[in-house]
Amino acid sequence: MRRPKMTRVISFRVTEDDWLKIERAAADYGEKPPDWCRTIVLETMKMPVGLTPSQRILFGQMARAGWLVENGFQLLADDTLESEHWKRYRAYARANLADISERALEDLEKVTR
């Protein structure tokens, strides 16, 4: 696959301490600092609502907890909460974190419009 021609340049200044951290992070991925920074920026742009990777992790955990609370209360209200049933809900929440997070982000976007 041919790499697209890149015609725009982005530059920014960082402290010496930040530069060393960027160098280490890039080395961990086997990349040079400019390539690593490009990758991070482009990957961050793909994330919904512009969340950073850390924010995405936290949002996912909160969305999963909210999903479990909502469904747990519904099971209690319906008087159908049983141990095995709840274990299935928890397993589903672990296995489908991306879907739960995506739905929560869609709901958030509807509210903020």
Side-chain angles (χ1 to χ4, degrees):
M1 180 177 206
R2 193 168 194 200
R3 187 174 174 171
K5 184 176 181 183
M6 293 185 248
T7 59
R8 301 291 182 177
V9 175
I10 298 173
S11 66
F12 56 95
R13 297 186 184 278
V14 294
T15 65
E16 188 65 29
D17 187 47
D18 287 340
W19 174 252
L20 294 173
K21 291 176 184 176
I22 290 169
E23 278 188 318
R24 279 193 295 270
D28 288 346
Y29 285 91
E31 294 184 9
K32 294 178 183 176
D35 296 330
W36 180 82
C37 288
R38 181 183 307 108
T39 300
I40 293 299
V41 168
L42 295 175
E43 287 300 315
T44 301
M45 283 188 335
K46 294 177 186 176
M47 292 182 194
V49 195
L51 298 176
T52 66
S54 296
Q55 291 169 334
R56 179 78 174 164
I57 291 168
L58 289 173
F59 183 85
Q61 294 303 316
M62 290 188 304
R64 179 169 56 182
W67 185 88
L68 285 168
V69 167
E70 182 180 339
N71 284 285
F73 278 123
Q74 188 61 55
L75 291 172
L76 283 171
D78 296 341
D79 199 25
T80 59
L81 181 61
E82 296 177 1
S83 180
E84 288 304 313
H85 197 177
W86 183 242
K87 286 178 186 175
R88 286 194 302 274
Y89 269 79
R90 288 178 29 229
Y92 176 87
R94 274 193 297 276
N96 295 283
L97 179 58
D99 292 336
I100 292 169
S101 297
E102 195 62 40
R103 277 186 258 141
L105 283 169
E106 289 170 5
D107 290 346
L108 181 63
E109 287 177 0
K110 288 176 188 173
V111 171
T112 57
R113 286 184 196 167

